[in-house]
Amino acid sequence: MLILLPILVPLLTAIVLVGCWTRPSVQRIIALGSSCVQLAVAALLLHQTSTGRIVTIAIGAWPPPFGIVLVADILSALMITVTGVVSVAVMVYSMSGIDANREAHGYYPLLSTLLTGVNGAFLTADIFNLYVWFELLLISSFVLTALGGGKGQLEGAVKYVTLNLIASVVFLTATGVLYGIAGTLSMGDLAARIPAIQHREILGMVAVLYLVAFGIKAAMFPLYMWLPASYHTLPAPVGALFSGLLTKVGVYAFYRMFTLVFPAMDFGMTTLILVISGFTMLVGVLGAAVQYEFRRLLSFHIVSQIGYLLFALGVGTPLALAGGIFYTIHNIIAKANLYLIAGVAARLGGSYDIRKLGGLFSAAPWLGILFLVPALSLAGVPPLSGFWAKLAVIRAGLEREHYLLGAVALITSLLTLFSMSKVWSEVFWKQRDSNPETDADPAQRPIAYQVAPIALLAAITLTLGLFAEPLFALVSDAARQLLDPSAYVDAVLRRAP
Amino acid sequence: MHILLALVTGILFAGGLYLMLRRSIVKLAFGLALIAQAANLAIFTSSGLVRGEPPIIEAGGMRLAAVSSDPVPQALILTAIVIGFALLAFVIVLIKRAAWIVGTDDLDDLRNVDRTAT
C-alpha cells in the first residue's frame, strides 16, 4: 500500500488544487504540505527497501505478468526520496519565488501532476506504463514551459515540445516492436524472456531505439539541443525542478532498461554508450564556457553532467553503477540548488546576465557562501558530494582501462571549475558598474522563503560529502540489485502477498 | 497485408519527418501528427495480424482458439491515440500562440533565445 502513495498523494493533491483554483495562497500551503507528505512516504519506502527487500504491488490484483506491477527497489526508493527533497525545496521557494500570474494559472496543480509522473516512472515495472508516466510528466512540463511565457519562453517551448514528442514516438515504436517479438510488457517478464529470443538483430534495433528515446529525454550528445534552447527561459523554481528531475528520469530509464531488459554487454552497446558519454561531457562543458546567461550556462552543465552518468553505465561494474547512482543523487540536489540561486541572484541584481550582475558578495555574502557549496560540489572539489561521486565513477573507469575517458572526465571537471569560477567572479566578486534595476515591487514576498530551500539543499550537499559512507553503502547495494536482477524479476513475477 | 502495412508505416514516418524538416510551423504540427500515427500502426503491425478470430472463448469452451488476435496491442494503441490526441491539441494551441507572439510562422526565425548575447 505504501508504494502507491508516492503516486496517489501528488495526484490527489493536483485534483484538490484544481478545486481551489482561485486561491493561490491556499494552493501554496496545500502543495507544500503534499510535498512534505511525499518526502515522508518516500523516506519510509527507502527505509523498507534499504535492507534489500523489494516492495511490490500488482495494480488491480491482476496476476503478473498480465497486469501492471509497481516495484520499489533501492534505486527506485532513492530516486523518489530525492524527488521528495527537491519538490519540498521548490515548493518553499515558490512561496515567494514565482509570480502571481503563473500562480493564478495552474502553477501548483501542474507541479503536482509533474511529480505524479516522475514518481510513477520511478516505480513502474511495466514498459508501456513507463511510457504513460513519461507522457504525464511531459505534458505537465509542456504546459509549465509555456505558462506565462513571453516571446523567448514560447520559442523555447516549441523546441522543447517538438523534440520531446519525437522521443515519445520513438519510445512508443520501440515498445510496440518489443511487444511484437517478446509478447510481454512487464520488465521482469521481459528480462526473463529476452535471453531466449532468437531475433537478436531486431532486439538490437529495439535497444537502439530505446537509446535514442531515453537519450533525447536525458539530453545526451548529440540529441541534447532542446535543453539549452529552452531551460534558460524558465522561471527559477521551474528550471530547478526540470533540471534536477526530468533529465534524470531519462537517466533512470537508461539504468533500468540497460541493466534489466537489455544488459548493455549483450547488445554491443557498451562502446556506443562510452563514446557518447565522452562527447556529452565535453560538448556540454565547452558549451557552458561561452555562455553569459546564468540559466543557460547551467543548462549546458546539465548536459555535461549527464555524460558522467552514461560513462558510469557504460563501464557497468558494481563500483561504476554505485558511483553513477551516487552521482545522480548529488547532481539532482546540486543542480536544482544552482537554479534556485540563479533566481535569487536575479532578484537581487535584476538580471540573469552575469555580465550585468556584480558585487553580490558585498550585498549578500550569505548567498556567495551558499553558491560555493553546490558550485564546488558540481566541479568535484573535496570534501563535497560531487568529489566522491566523481572519484567512484572515474576510478571504476580506470579499473576497466578506459584511460581516455577518465582523462576526458577529469578535464571536464576542471572546465566545470573554470565555469563556476567565472560565475563567481562575474556575479559575486567584480564591482558593479551600474546600479541594479531591481523591481522594487511592494507586493514582493519575503526573500527568506527563497533562501531557506537553498540553505537546505546546500546542507544536504555538505552532509553527503562529509558523511558519504552510509549513502555509498546504500548505492552499492542498489548497484548490486541492478547487476543481478534476479531478485527484481522474482519480485515482479511472483508477487509477495 | 503485413507488407502493405509496413510500407504505410514507413511512408507515414518519412512523410512526417519530411514535414517536420520544413520551415513552416504548421507543417511541424502535421508532421508530429503523422509520426504519432505511424507509431500506432507500427505497434499494430509488429504484433502480428490475425483476421476474423476475435479473442473470445466459445460458449462452453475453456480456452482460446489456437490462433486468435491479440487484444493487448489494440489496448496500447487506444491509450497512445488518446495521449497523442491530447498532446496534438496542446501543440496546436502552442504553435498558434507562438506564431502570434513571435510574429512569424517560420521556424528558422525562432532563434532569438539562442543568441549568446541577449
Side-chain angles (χ1 to χ4, degrees):
Chain A
M1 189 56 208
L2 185 67
I3 188 175
L4 276 178
L5 290 180
I7 297 172
L8 277 184
V9 170
L11 186 64
L12 293 177
T13 309
I15 296 170
V16 172
L17 289 176
V18 171
C20 42
W21 185 265
T22 51
R23 320 239 331 249
S25 53
V26 178
Q27 287 191 9
R28 267 178 232 149
I29 306 295
I30 297 178
L32 176 60
S34 156
S35 284
C36 293
V37 173
Q38 281 172 58
L39 179 58
V41 168
L44 209 56
L45 199 59
L46 184 62
H47 177 70
Q48 282 193 4
T49 53
S50 61
T51 51
R53 187 172 151 235
I54 295 179
V55 184
T56 62
I57 191 166
I59 302 293
W62 287 91
F66 301 108
I68 293 166
V69 181
L70 297 183
V71 178
D73 60 354
I74 299 177
L75 176 61
S76 300
L78 270 174
M79 297 303 284
I80 289 196
T81 311
V82 186
T83 306
V85 171
V86 174
S87 76
V88 169
V90 166
M91 294 303 179
V92 175
Y93 188 96
S94 302
M95 290 274 189
S96 69
I98 196 83
D99 53 296
N101 195 21
R102 285 193 175 81
E103 279 189 328
H105 290 91
Y107 173 74
Y108 291 105
L110 285 166
L111 287 187
S112 293
T113 49
L114 181 78
L115 290 170
T116 314
V118 171
N119 285 343
F122 287 147
L123 284 176
T124 186
D126 180 284
I127 186 82
F128 191 78
N129 195 231
L130 180 64
Y131 165 77
V132 175
W133 292 123
F134 263 133
E135 295 303 298
L136 180 63
L137 72 89
L138 271 185
I139 190 124
S140 317
S141 71
F142 288 169
V143 185
L144 278 171
T145 317
L147 190 68
K151 210 165 167 175
Q153 210 182 331
L154 282 172
E155 284 187 19
V158 170
K159 293 167 192 174
Y160 175 75
V161 167
T162 309
L163 282 164
N164 277 288
L165 278 182
I166 294 175
S168 296
V169 168
V170 175
F171 187 174
L172 187 60
T173 312
T175 306
V177 177
L178 185 61
Y179 180 79
I181 46 176
T184 180
L185 293 166
S186 157
M187 291 190 204
D189 202 17
L190 280 170
R193 284 196 199 190
I194 281 209
I197 289 175
Q198 298 301 320
H199 307 284
R200 304 312 280 182
E201 66 291 345
I202 303 183
L203 275 182
M205 186 202 73
V206 172
V208 172
L209 283 178
Y210 278 121
L211 183 78
V212 172
F214 300 148
I216 295 179
K217 286 179 199 298
M220 77 179 190
F221 176 87
L223 307 166
Y224 65 90
M225 306 291 181
W226 57 271
L227 195 149
S230 61
Y231 272 24
H232 66 294
T233 64
L234 301 171
V238 180
L241 200 62
F242 281 20
S243 66
L245 294 178
L246 294 194
T247 49
K248 307 310 180 295
V249 179
V251 170
Y252 166 83
F254 262 118
Y255 274 51
R256 183 64 80 201
M257 286 297 282
F258 286 99
T259 55
L260 181 63
V261 180
F262 300 104
M265 314 301 166
D266 300 356
F267 287 88
M269 305 282 278
T270 318
T271 319
L272 186 60
I273 292 179
L274 284 174
V275 172
I276 288 174
S277 76
F279 278 109
T280 311
M281 285 188 255
L282 264 188
V283 170
V285 83
L286 290 178
V290 296
Q291 299 300 329
Y292 285 95
E293 217 275 2
F294 204 153
R295 291 168 297 180
R296 195 157 157 81
L297 184 147
L298 293 175
S299 314
F300 275 100
H301 278 296
I302 302 177
V303 176
S304 165
Q305 306 292 317
I306 296 295
Y308 286 93
L309 306 176
L310 292 178
F311 180 32
L313 178 66
V315 174
T317 58
L319 177 62
L321 286 183
I325 300 168
F326 191 98
Y327 204 119
T328 312
I329 294 164
H330 134 74
N331 197 232
I332 291 176
I333 295 195
K335 201 83 231 187
N337 202 3
L338 284 171
Y339 259 87
L340 296 181
I341 289 169
V344 173
R347 173 169 172 175
L348 294 174
S351 173
Y352 278 108
D353 188 337
I354 59 174
R355 283 167 304 189
K356 290 182 192 155
L357 290 167
L360 273 187
F361 191 64
S362 55
W366 42 270
L367 187 65
I369 307 290
L370 288 177
F371 168 76
L372 281 182
V373 174
L376 295 181
S377 177
L378 200 70
V381 174
L384 298 160
S385 59
F387 170 71
W388 303 109
K390 284 199 163 102
L391 180 69
V393 172
I394 294 174
R395 186 172 159 198
L398 295 182
E399 276 174 6
R400 295 298 291 266
E401 306 188 341
H402 298 297
Y403 297 120
L404 182 63
L405 276 171
V408 168
L410 289 172
I411 292 169
T412 306
S413 207
L414 201 63
L415 289 172
T416 309
L417 189 59
F418 158 73
S419 204
M420 289 300 141
S421 47
K422 181 175 86 179
V423 174
W424 169 260
S425 63
E426 290 278 342
V427 176
F428 294 98
W429 210 238
K430 79 165 189 245
Q431 282 291 335
R432 193 177 175 124
D433 7 308
S434 60
N435 283 325
E437 326 137 6
T438 40
D439 42 346
D441 184 0
Q444 201 151 36
R445 286 162 264 153
I447 199 166
Y449 287 126
Q450 281 164 279
V451 179
I454 293 175
L456 170 77
L457 294 179
I460 293 175
T461 301
L462 261 177
T463 314
L464 290 186
L466 293 175
F467 306 98
E469 190 56 35
L471 180 63
F472 213 88
L474 198 59
V475 294
S476 301
D477 288 345
R480 267 195 291 281
Q481 280 183 343
L482 279 181
L483 286 171
D484 179 21
S486 56
Y488 187 92
V489 173
D490 288 347
V492 173
L493 293 181
R494 272 179 275 124
R495 192 188 156 233
Chain B
M1 197 61 186
H2 279 96
I3 293 181
L4 181 66
L5 281 176
L7 279 175
V8 173
T9 309
I11 291 169
L12 281 176
F13 265 121
L17 286 176
Y18 175 73
L19 282 175
M20 293 172 80
L21 293 174
R22 302 295 299 268
R23 286 163 63 184
S24 157
I25 202 169
V26 179
K27 285 176 183 153
L28 177 72
F30 284 139
L32 281 173
L34 279 191
I35 61 166
Q37 300 317 315
N40 290 339
L41 209 54
I43 300 177
F44 186 62
T45 315
S46 70
S47 55
L49 302 171
V50 177
R51 201 171 172 145
E53 292 289 344
I56 295 170
I57 300 171
E58 299 284 327
M62 287 303 288
R63 46 175 51 238
L64 281 173
V67 179
S68 64
S69 62
D70 186 350
V72 175
Q74 295 168 32
L76 302 187
I77 294 169
L78 205 57
T79 314
I81 287 176
V82 175
I83 293 174
F85 177 71
L87 289 174
L88 190 64
F90 176 75
V91 167
I92 290 171
V93 174
L94 176 70
I95 63 165
K96 180 171 180 287
R97 187 78 191 144
W100 181 267
I101 298 261
V102 182
T104 174
D105 72 338
D106 187 339
L107 286 171
D108 282 1
D109 290 342
L110 295 188
R111 54 171 66 158
N112 293 321
V113 287
D114 286 342
R115 300 207 178 99
T116 311
T118 41

